[in-house]
Amino acid sequence: YRVFVPRDSAALALGADAVAQAVRSEALQRGIDVTLVRNGSRGLFWLEPLVEVQTPQGRIAYGPVEAKDVPGLFDAGFLQGGMHPRSLGLTEEIAYLKRQERLTFARVGIIDPLSLSDYVAHEGYEGLRQALTLPADEIVHAVTESGLRGRGGAAFPTGIKWKTVLDTPAAQKYIACNADEGDSGTFADRMIMEGDPFVLIEGMTIAGLAVGATQGYIYVRSEYPLAIEILNAAIDRARAAGYLGSDILGSGKVFELEVRKAAGAYVCGEETAMLESIEGKRGIVRSKPPLPAITGLFGKPTVINNVISLASVPIILAKGSGFYRDFGMGRSRGTLPFQLAGNIRRGGLIEKAFGVTLRELMFDFGGGSITGRPIKAAQVGGPLGTYLPESQWDTPLDYEAYSAMGAVVGHGGIVVHDDTADLAKLARYAMQFCAIESCGKCTPCRIGATRGVEVMDKIIADEDRPAQIALLRDLCDTMLHGSMCAMGGMTPFPVLSALDHFPEDFSQSLAEET
Ligand code: SF4
């Protein structure tokens, strides 16, 4: 019998290790031969730990399972898919999963993350095999044609970035993967690294072949120790099997990979601060130009992409750019793994083609707020994303449509708030976050965020409110247009959206204070 108990951090936080141990000892006691697979998470967090068993009909799910449920599951014959109060039926038929379009996450939760043979059996390394048959510019062309744009937040066309690196002659080039996933309510990068590390390794190897880079670095936040452990183990296995190293699959091509642990600064998610940090320096934003694609890591041409961007590359090479491009809308092609968090009944990972709406994600998938109260706002795109009121929930999630209403899709993180949320306090928090996390390189952010918190305190306390609001708007304008990077440049987004869409909260805060 094959039993799957996730080893993803979210499942572990909910007791998956104890469940795995209970399955092991119960099977031993009953003399039943059980193979326990520690898979990634399916991303249905309210059902974690989600235990699955392999049956001739397909995988059958049970969840959420606690260790104390395990003897009862054996009694109910769960190894043959027997019914139990925790039964969820065939995993693939669970509506939350069935309605998704999983391209980048195709294998997450299905395979054993550290089994190379499992990876290969599920179409793994087909993209690399295809790339090895192509000249570098054709690999870049395929990525450009797919319409893939940076999934870390900036949405810059990946193929164009790669072409700049390809066209810049240098004896040494690098691929740097940004896995410093610091946005609130985001976990897609972590789920890939923990649940399907080889897809990231494969994507980075393809990127190396495409631009002529022989060394890659994965910059992983220190808060992800399990992802670091799994990536290191996967890199060793890929190297031992000839997928990394000095002669990839006998092609004579070279690509090496190393994991670098980040040190907990939000700004190191900014690409040039990340480069500084990988070089062993303090994470401070670099002036641009020069572009990192021309003068990047250690002064060499460098491709910098987010985990999801790179993990989306293998399927593009394996199935063709047209296949990927057929998903999505407008200039937002392919899929995005949306991450639903905050005050939501069914939080988790939803990979869908661009064009889905926030309302569909929050209600059809998420089931509304977990408190049962009306949803008031959702912050999309991390701590510096805008707060969207109900009037904006039907806009299709697409980079351009969001940008047209002054919002960002970012890394696809969605944090939901019910009607008890105080948007004035949340907006103040955004300013304070910027003041704390600012790298200090430029004045609008370094000084502006601190002054911004003071001004907001005055607004909330109703000290000359109209004048202070005008001052805040002026300050936001300076930060928006004068900051060197997105940290200071985006902080006005949550602040202004709260002010514009929820002005009543600023006087409500006053009512609470007095
Ligand atoms: Fe540093 Fe802030 Fe300026 Fe970015 S905006 S360079 S984080 S001070």
Side-chain angles (χ1 to χ4, degrees):
Y1 299 105
R2 268 167 85 82
V3 177
F4 299 80
V5 181
R7 192 183 165 224
D8 168 280
S9 290
L12 293 179
L14 292 162
D17 268 349
V19 172
Q21 189 48 44
V23 170
R24 249 187 234 110
S25 50
E26 198 65 30
L28 198 68
Q29 256 181 38
R30 297 181 188 228
I32 304 171
D33 190 15
V34 165
T35 304
L36 195 62
V37 180
R38 302 304 304 270
N39 55 337
S41 171
R42 297 277 195 163
L44 284 58
F45 290 159
W46 76 101
L47 296 174
E48 291 287 4
L50 181 87
V51 175
E52 293 176 82
V53 289
Q54 185 78 58
T55 74
Q57 294 75 43
R59 273 158 68 163
I60 293 186
Y62 299 83
V65 173
E66 291 179 54
K68 66 177 167 53
D69 298 326
V70 170
L73 282 166
F74 273 86
D75 292 342
F78 89 118
L79 293 172
Q80 292 89 24
M83 289 302 288
H84 180 273
R86 300 280 183 215
S87 293
L88 299 163
L90 286 166
T91 316
E92 302 294 338
E93 294 298 318
I94 298 173
Y96 197 91
L97 207 50
K98 196 174 182 184
R99 289 164 49 203
Q100 298 193 29
E101 290 143 310
R102 289 205 166 186
L103 306 184
T104 309
F105 277 73
R107 280 174 292 263
V108 175
I110 294 174
I111 60 164
D112 175 347
L114 283 174
S115 164
L116 200 43
S117 57
D118 218 0
Y119 182 66
V120 170
H122 289 82
E123 303 180 358
Y125 275 121
E126 285 182 11
L128 177 65
R129 288 186 186 282
Q130 179 62 21
L132 284 168
T133 68
L134 299 173
D137 60 343
E138 283 187 31
I139 304 175
V140 173
H141 183 70
V143 173
T144 308
E145 281 298 296
S146 73
L148 179 68
R149 291 163 71 181
R151 301 291 191 241
F156 188 81
T158 306
I160 292 178
K161 192 183 275 185
W162 287 21
K163 180 149 177 37
T164 309
V165 179
L166 172 65
D167 290 347
T168 306
Q172 178 70 58
K173 298 180 186 180
Y174 295 106
I175 309 295
C177 171
N178 188 343
D180 194 41
E181 188 174 45
D183 281 355
S184 42
T186 60
F187 41 79
D189 295 354
R190 180 186 60 70
M191 283 182 66
I192 282 284
M193 294 187 285
E194 292 178 358
D196 191 10
F198 291 116
V199 79
L200 175 59
I201 295 169
E202 183 182 354
M204 291 186 71
T205 311
I206 294 169
L209 298 179
V211 304
T214 53
Q215 176 69 46
Y217 294 95
I218 311 175
Y219 185 77
V220 189
R221 68 192 317 232
S222 55
E223 294 89 338
Y224 286 175
L226 184 60
I228 292 172
E229 180 193 321
I230 291 176
L231 279 173
N232 276 322
I235 288 169
D236 287 347
R237 288 176 195 196
R239 190 184 294 117
Y243 290 101
L244 280 175
S246 54
D247 183 19
I248 297 168
L249 297 179
S251 65
K253 299 273 170 60
V254 181
F255 191 69
E256 259 306 341
L257 205 45
E258 194 180 307
V259 174
R260 286 294 174 95
K261 190 162 104 176
Y266 181 74
V267 78
C268 287
E270 195 282 336
E271 58 178 13
T272 61
M274 180 186 84
L275 296 182
E276 291 284 301
S277 181
I278 297 177
E279 290 179 10
K281 303 174 197 151
R282 181 179 154 197
I284 295 184
V285 174
R286 292 181 185 172
S287 308
K288 280 193 263 187
L291 291 173
I294 293 166
T295 306
L297 191 60
F298 304 111
K300 305 293 181 201
T302 305
V303 163
I304 306 173
N305 281 135
N306 159 264
V307 171
I308 302 299
S309 314
L310 289 161
S312 300
V313 166
I315 196 167
I316 292 170
L317 268 294
K319 302 209 166 172
S321 45
F323 169 82
Y324 192 78
R325 203 185 169 82
D326 279 349
F327 292 85
M329 62 174 286
R331 290 180 51 226
S332 303
R333 310 311 311 178
T335 58
L336 187 69
F338 296 99
Q339 300 127 86
L340 200 50
N343 189 339
I344 193 83
R345 191 176 300 278
R346 296 192 292 261
L349 184 119
I350 304 155
E351 184 174 352
K352 281 291 281 179
F354 287 95
V356 64
T357 67
L358 201 48
R359 194 184 297 278
E360 286 172 71
L361 292 173
M362 292 194 300
F363 293 95
D364 299 353
F365 284 93
S369 73
I370 198 162
T371 50
R373 299 184 66 92
I375 291 177
K376 178 171 178 178
Q379 190 178 28
V380 181
L384 309 180
T386 58
Y387 288 100
L388 281 80
E390 183 164 7
S391 60
Q392 297 179 328
W393 296 349
D394 296 307
T395 304
L397 271 146
D398 152 89
Y399 293 123
E400 278 63 44
Y402 262 52
S403 160
M405 56 182 191
V408 287
V409 175
H411 185 48
I414 299 165
V415 179
V416 180
H417 298 274
D418 75 8
D419 63 349
T420 60
D422 180 339
L423 270 292
K425 285 187 179 150
L426 289 172
R428 183 193 182 279
Y429 173 74
M431 244 339 156
Q432 191 187 19
F433 179 78
C434 181
I436 293 168
E437 298 289 344
S438 169
C439 85
K441 178 107 173 195
C442 68
T443 314
C445 168
R446 184 183 70 245
I447 309 278
T450 301
R451 293 291 91 84
V453 174
E454 294 164 4
V455 173
M456 292 196 74
D457 281 342
K458 286 187 184 164
I459 295 170
I460 291 168
D462 198 19
E463 282 178 33
D464 196 11
R465 185 176 285 154
Q468 295 300 325
I469 288 178
L471 189 58
L472 181 64
R473 288 190 183 279
D474 195 35
L475 174 64
C476 283
D477 192 56
T478 305
M479 291 178 73
L480 204 59
H481 297 106
S483 298
M484 264 182 64
C485 84
M487 177 87 215
M490 284 178 62
T491 296
F493 287 6
V495 175
L496 294 176
S497 61
L499 205 53
D500 289 342
H501 300 301
F502 306 95
E504 65 282 2
D505 281 19
F506 290 78
S507 43
Q508 261 176 21
S509 294
L510 167 68
E512 276 170 30
E513 309 270 323
T514 49

